[in-house]
Amino acid sequence: MEDSAIFNVQEQWLRPLRCELNVLSRPDGSAMITQGSYFILCCYVNTFLYSYRVHIFFFKGNTAVVAAVYGPVDVKPQRILVDKASIETVYKPKSGLPNVADRMRETIIKNTCETALLSAIHPRTAVCIVLQEMQDSGGLLSCCINAACMALMDSGIAMKFLVAAVSCMISEDDIILDPSDKDLMGSKASLTFVFDSAKKNLVASHTSGVFSQEQYHESLLKCRQASCEIFEFYRSLVKKYIICI
Amino acid sequence: MKESILSISEKTFILSALSETRRLDGRKLDEFRPMKIHFGSDWGCCIVTLGQTKVIAQVSCEVQQPKPTRPNEGLLLLFVELSPMGAPHFEAGRQSDLAVQLNRLLEKCIKDSRCVDLESLCITAEEKVWAVRVDVNILNHEGNLVDAASLAALTALSHFRRPDVTTTGEQTIIHDPAERDPIPITLHHHPVCVSYAVFDKGNHVIADPTAIEERVSEGQIVFGVNAYRELCGLHLGGNAPITLEMVNKYATRAAKRALELVTQMKKALAEDLKNRISGIEVGFRDCIDSNNRLSLGKDNFQIQLFTPDFKKERAKRASNIDVKEEKINDEVMDDSSEDDSEPVIVSVGKGSAELVNQKKQDMKLRRKRKLQNDEGGKEYDVDESSSSEESDNLDKESEDTRKNGEPMSDSEIQVVAEYKGTENKPNENKVIANIELSGDSEEEETVLLHGEDLKNGSTEKGRGRCPKEEKMEGDEPHSRGWYSKPTW
């Protein structure tokens, strides 16, 4: 699988993803996702004598997350749900104790996974999703959701659909897909959308900052388009791992 | 979630395997799992993998007020966090006993050995010092968390760069990394933890135990050792009786391992620095190899009792060779037998020989051997390739001797006589066994004779030593476990 930049919309791209399934031996399912790398743009410069090939390097962060899932397991009595599995999410920051933002992230991931999972077929059990931040270079939330989805898929638990999260930001005049932490410095608003694989419907949307309704719709469209690329990535990943599983 | 219960059969399986110097993952008793270090793009961030055990460490720093007792020293804080990611029974946000123990061990090893130069972390005495915080998160618990955590903490500390600070009179300026190059932390020495697990009242000691071995073990020995072979910390856990000799012996081995680890760590650090200087962006992205499906992940076959050595051995047995050979790399667990760890060929009469694992012979035999050594006999060490050849030579030679009718010494006459004696009177206090030549049968009794036979045979032309001289308990035929147990 080549790390080719995904040229989705003109001059808009998602940072290339890399994913390894089953990275950890103890959990039922685990996945590590890294997003971001060098981009190499090839340009041909024609002079009257020679034709040069020029490589332009861009570096856009390197967000990395590990996710682990423990399939239907026993649940604490106070968290037991009689009609469906209760979903527990733990998000661990790289250093220090989890703060409010981390708790927020945890809840968003939990709600998203709850939608994707067929929790009704495992009543009185728990599904435990643990996420460990390894590197935050922008788009941590979308990376976390994608990693959680991959870990759930790896664990083999029943799901309604897969989910793909795409983040974007609104700067002064335009919308940038999958911004790195450097891009985010000049952002007015940052938005993260989660789509399902079945009908590409919106599953979750998390926004912060100031933006207009038109901007929201425009970024939603762009992200939906980009989410197809992520589903395509999932597909290629499954193709790669089908031999192992 | 609760920790899964360890079944008795698992326990006995591991113990009986250990008594035959085998481990579930095919390692030798004193063999460590391979260690790898990956660095993140931030300073002071690394993943250390030790076999399947994975640990991530991140160092961060902030300006704080120093302790009133040490006004010109910075602060070093170590935190080990066990999230449920590592193992299902770990709980998030609650300090378990294991977490406290790990924390304390790391503090002993890194903080109490004073390897970090805390005085260089002082900005203004009594007012502002750097507080360096090391967070160690366990990603996957497959045993020996101490080693992995201590190495991760140390690697992260040596990798970390703190922002530069200038003080002008009353003003303190902390420079942005973009403005001024950040400064590394000064480390005086590099202590790492090396742990051993003790089994069977100290008879078996294994290096780098896995999670299941840790649970079965009776005790743990954890050494904090630096690359200069200096002991920086020692922890004896569990209830196994651990003698001073054992501590000394394993401390020397731990020192060797520590040196290896520190060398590997420095190499990884140098490589990382080289990449950063040359502009290659470093990150965890590189630890996922897109051409490899399981570059970070687990091996598919975790239980590897059938090691190549074992297979070779089995093939040999199948091909019906007189001299059975085995490569014994295992460390012998008691001190006295350390020099005997090489296998020895013993002749079992004319035309056959047997390779015997010396360490399994009892003390009585050893004492006897000493006597024999005084008489000039030596152990005959065999290496794999030459052993069968040698035994052929031996046979020829011994035949030659007999044919040529060389003058035999008294002792040799005695040998023959005695040997017959043993055959006739099995109840005598001598080695008696059936030598197995077919090689098909799973049940086998091994004859315990002595290496001096062979030595004498090859050097003194078939002047084999008498089996009687080795006063073995003849009634217990020495059987090698993995021959006689077909399940293995």
Side-chain angles (χ1 to χ4, degrees):
Chain A
M1 206 177 335
E2 283 302 305
D3 279 344
S4 54
I6 301 164
F7 291 90
N8 171 30
V9 188
Q10 198 184 6
E11 286 184 21
Q12 297 280 0
W13 58 75
L14 295 177
R15 292 175 287 171
L17 288 158
R18 272 190 182 189
C19 179
E20 184 171 339
L21 298 181
N22 220 348
V23 277
L24 309 173
S25 64
R26 291 300 289 264
D28 298 324
S30 57
M32 177 174 168
I33 282 194
T34 66
Q35 192 169 19
S37 71
Y38 269 119
F39 281 84
I40 305 166
L41 277 183
C42 277
C43 308
Y44 287 92
V45 179
N46 289 305
T47 61
F48 60 96
L49 270 178
Y50 303 106
S51 163
Y52 295 104
R53 201 163 78 157
V54 180
H55 296 272
I56 305 167
F57 290 88
F58 291 93
F59 186 72
K60 285 191 89 181
N62 197 346
T63 306
V65 171
V66 183
V69 168
Y70 290 94
V73 286
D74 61 337
V75 58
K76 277 185 188 161
Q78 65 262 34
R79 286 196 196 147
I80 206 159
L81 295 174
V82 287
D83 56 341
K84 59 179 181 180
S86 82
I87 290 151
E88 293 162 26
T89 322
V90 180
Y91 173 84
K92 293 282 287 183
K94 203 159 53 153
S95 65
L97 293 168
N99 55 23
V100 177
D102 296 331
R103 295 278 181 208
M104 183 76 193
R105 212 169 276 139
E106 212 172 88
T107 317
I108 295 166
I109 296 161
K110 186 190 160 198
N111 290 340
T112 311
C113 293
E114 224 165 356
T115 323
L117 280 169
L118 269 170
S119 52
I121 60 171
H122 304 292
R124 294 172 193 275
T125 56
V127 176
C128 186
I129 302 163
V130 195
L131 290 134
Q132 171 72 53
E133 170 203 349
M134 288 175 33
Q135 180 75 48
D136 181 11
S137 310
L140 186 62
L141 177 62
S142 58
C143 211
C144 281
I145 293 171
N146 292 341
C149 177
M150 284 296 96
L152 284 169
M153 193 182 76
D154 183 42
S155 76
I157 196 166
M159 289 169 91
K160 290 179 209 141
F161 42 72
L162 297 181
V163 290
V166 185
S167 63
C168 71
M169 77 173 221
I170 297 166
S171 65
E172 287 302 322
D173 43 3
D174 62 342
I175 295 161
I176 299 171
L177 266 179
D178 196 15
S180 70
D181 48 352
K182 280 170 199 149
D183 298 334
L184 281 167
M185 300 247 189
S187 76
K188 267 170 69 189
S190 71
L191 307 96
T192 305
F193 298 103
V194 186
F195 303 94
D196 71 57
S197 63
K199 287 179 180 163
K200 312 286 182 292
N201 282 335
L202 189 64
V203 174
S205 140
H206 177 68
T207 58
S208 66
V210 187
F211 49 87
S212 67
Q213 203 175 349
E214 289 81 53
Q215 280 173 323
Y216 181 81
H217 284 298
E218 198 187 331
S219 42
L220 179 63
L221 269 174
K222 275 192 170 181
C223 289
R224 177 173 286 150
Q225 226 174 338
S227 74
C228 298
E229 301 289 342
I230 294 179
F231 288 124
E232 207 46 54
F233 172 76
Y234 287 171
R235 207 171 278 280
S236 64
L237 193 74
V238 173
K239 267 185 207 160
K240 183 176 147 186
Y241 275 93
I242 201 80
I243 311 160
C244 297
I245 305 162
Chain B
M1 273 170 275
K2 287 191 188 81
E3 193 173 11
S4 57
I5 297 160
L6 189 71
S7 67
I8 295 171
S9 38
E10 278 175 295
K11 209 171 167 176
T12 45
F13 187 81
I14 287 167
L15 286 174
S16 61
L18 269 176
S19 66
E20 292 164 24
T21 62
R22 287 184 179 277
R23 289 170 77 170
L24 291 196
D25 47 9
R27 277 185 288 159
K28 295 163 211 157
L29 292 192
D30 67 335
E31 195 179 332
F32 292 83
R33 288 172 291 180
M35 189 270 289
K36 269 189 239 156
I37 302 174
H38 298 282
F39 292 101
S41 18
D42 288 345
W43 287 116
C45 180
C46 68
I47 298 185
V48 168
T49 66
L50 185 72
Q52 290 304 319
T53 301
K54 289 186 181 67
V55 164
I56 181 170
Q58 169 74 56
V59 179
S60 48
C61 67
E62 58 176 7
V63 179
Q64 270 190 5
Q65 215 174 358
K67 282 183 190 166
T69 46
R70 300 202 178 267
N72 58 346
E73 279 188 11
L75 302 166
L76 177 66
L77 308 159
L78 288 157
F79 294 96
V80 181
E81 299 259 350
L82 304 177
S83 73
M85 184 177 269
H89 61 276
F90 293 162
E91 271 181 66
R94 227 190 64 189
Q95 279 279 58
S96 61
D97 289 351
L98 180 65
V100 173
Q101 197 193 352
L102 279 174
N103 234 326
R104 186 67 202 115
L105 277 169
L106 250 64
E107 277 187 356
K108 263 193 206 174
C109 180
I110 293 170
K111 206 172 168 184
D112 298 355
S113 72
R114 305 190 66 81
C115 70
V116 179
D117 185 11
L118 292 175
E119 284 180 15
S120 70
L121 295 175
C122 177
I123 303 167
T124 327
E126 291 179 44
E127 276 176 33
K128 289 187 188 76
V129 291
W130 283 112
V132 176
R133 181 191 167 105
V134 188
D135 284 276
V136 180
N137 277 294
I138 310 293
L139 297 182
N140 200 31
H141 172 36
E142 279 293 350
N144 208 355
L145 288 179
V146 193
D147 287 22
S150 77
L151 193 71
L154 189 78
T155 315
L157 273 173
S158 353
H159 188 250
F160 184 63
R161 304 283 189 275
R162 64 174 172 85
D164 198 1
V165 179
T166 44
T167 43
T168 49
E170 304 216 329
Q171 214 181 17
T172 310
I173 308 159
I174 298 170
H175 297 279
D176 191 72
E179 195 182 326
R180 274 199 190 191
D181 277 346
I183 301 166
I185 288 175
T186 321
L187 290 177
H188 296 305
H189 57 106
H190 298 90
V192 286
C193 286
V194 180
S195 55
Y196 290 88
V198 184
F199 294 84
D200 191 20
K201 299 187 182 75
N203 288 331
H204 299 291
V205 180
I206 59 164
D208 190 11
T210 58
I212 196 162
E213 283 167 343
E214 267 178 358
R215 290 180 70 183
V216 176
S217 73
E218 284 176 3
Q220 309 91 41
I221 320 177
V222 183
F223 296 100
V225 203
N226 66 18
Y228 309 114
R229 294 172 155 262
E230 288 165 337
L231 204 63
C232 307
L234 174 65
H235 170 78
L236 303 176
N239 50 11
I242 297 165
T243 58
L244 186 64
E245 290 82 53
M246 264 167 77
V247 172
N248 275 331
K249 181 179 164 190
Y250 287 100
T252 5
R253 292 190 189 181
K256 208 174 127 199
R257 168 71 175 171
L259 183 63
E260 276 170 29
L261 286 178
V262 171
T263 325
Q264 204 180 333
M265 182 193 90
K266 283 182 178 165
K267 206 176 133 196
L269 282 167
E271 198 178 324
D272 176 72
L273 196 65
K274 203 183 89 192
N275 284 345
R276 275 169 207 266
I277 288 168
S278 59
I280 302 167
E281 197 73 30
V282 190
F284 288 125
R285 179 182 163 273
D286 300 324
C287 61
I288 299 178
D289 180 3
S290 41
N291 298 320
N292 192 346
R293 280 184 199 89
L294 295 166
S295 47
L296 256 184
K298 60 182 177 183
D299 298 327
N300 284 337
F301 307 104
Q302 288 197 20
I303 294 183
Q304 300 178 337
L305 283 169
F306 291 93
T307 55
D309 283 353
F310 179 67
K311 281 180 187 156
K312 212 186 285 171
E313 197 179 281
R314 202 168 50 166
K316 282 270 184 222
R317 199 147 53 96
S319 64
N320 190 8
I321 296 175
D322 285 343
V323 176
K324 296 207 168 63
E325 57 191 42
E326 67 182 301
K327 207 173 164 187
I328 294 170
N329 301 308
D330 309 317
E331 278 304 321
V332 186
M333 280 308 123
D334 44 1
D335 279 359
S336 54
S337 62
E338 203 176 20
D339 47 345
D340 299 337
S341 57
E342 289 290 327
V344 177
I345 281 193
V346 294
S347 96
V348 188
K350 202 179 148 197
S352 68
E354 176 65 71
L355 197 77
V356 174
N357 190 352
Q358 283 291 341
K359 70 182 171 185
K360 289 186 178 172
Q361 299 183 359
D362 59 3
M363 286 304 292
K364 207 172 178 182
L365 179 62
R366 273 187 213 114
R367 252 179 270 130
K368 199 69 202 171
R369 189 181 308 141
K370 271 182 192 165
L371 284 174
Q372 291 174 349
N373 284 345
D374 293 342
E375 290 172 44
K378 274 182 199 165
E379 277 175 61
Y380 191 74
D381 294 343
V382 186
D383 71 357
E384 251 187 289
S385 56
S386 65
S387 59
S388 59
E389 220 181 284
E390 298 274 4
S391 67
D392 289 346
N393 291 344
L394 162 69
D395 294 339
K396 267 183 217 157
E397 276 166 0
S398 54
E399 275 171 39
D400 289 347
T401 0
R402 302 233 162 88
K403 278 177 197 162
N404 297 343
E406 271 181 23
M408 289 171 176
S409 70
D410 290 353
S411 68
E412 201 193 7
I413 295 164
Q414 207 185 349
V415 169
V416 176
E418 290 292 340
Y419 190 73
K420 279 174 186 164
T422 54
E423 276 177 333
N424 297 335
K425 299 167 206 165
N427 289 333
E428 255 180 64
N429 197 14
K430 287 167 205 160
V431 177
I432 290 147
N434 313 321
I435 184 71
E436 197 240 338
L437 295 171
S438 67
D440 304 333
S441 144
E442 287 294 336
E443 299 234 345
E444 186 190 341
E445 289 170 315
T446 309
V447 178
L448 273 194
L449 294 178
H450 208 267
E452 273 66 41
D453 292 320
L454 196 124
K455 174 67 185 172
N456 295 333
S458 60
T459 56
E460 298 172 34
K461 296 248 164 194
R463 199 177 294 170
R465 208 158 268 280
C466 167
K468 193 194 174 181
E469 285 185 25
E470 316 148 22
K471 287 202 172 147
M472 285 284 303
E473 265 87 26
D475 291 347
E476 41 165 282
H478 177 81
S479 65
R480 268 180 254 158
W482 58 92
Y483 274 2
S484 55
K485 285 175 196 164
T487 46
W488 284 64

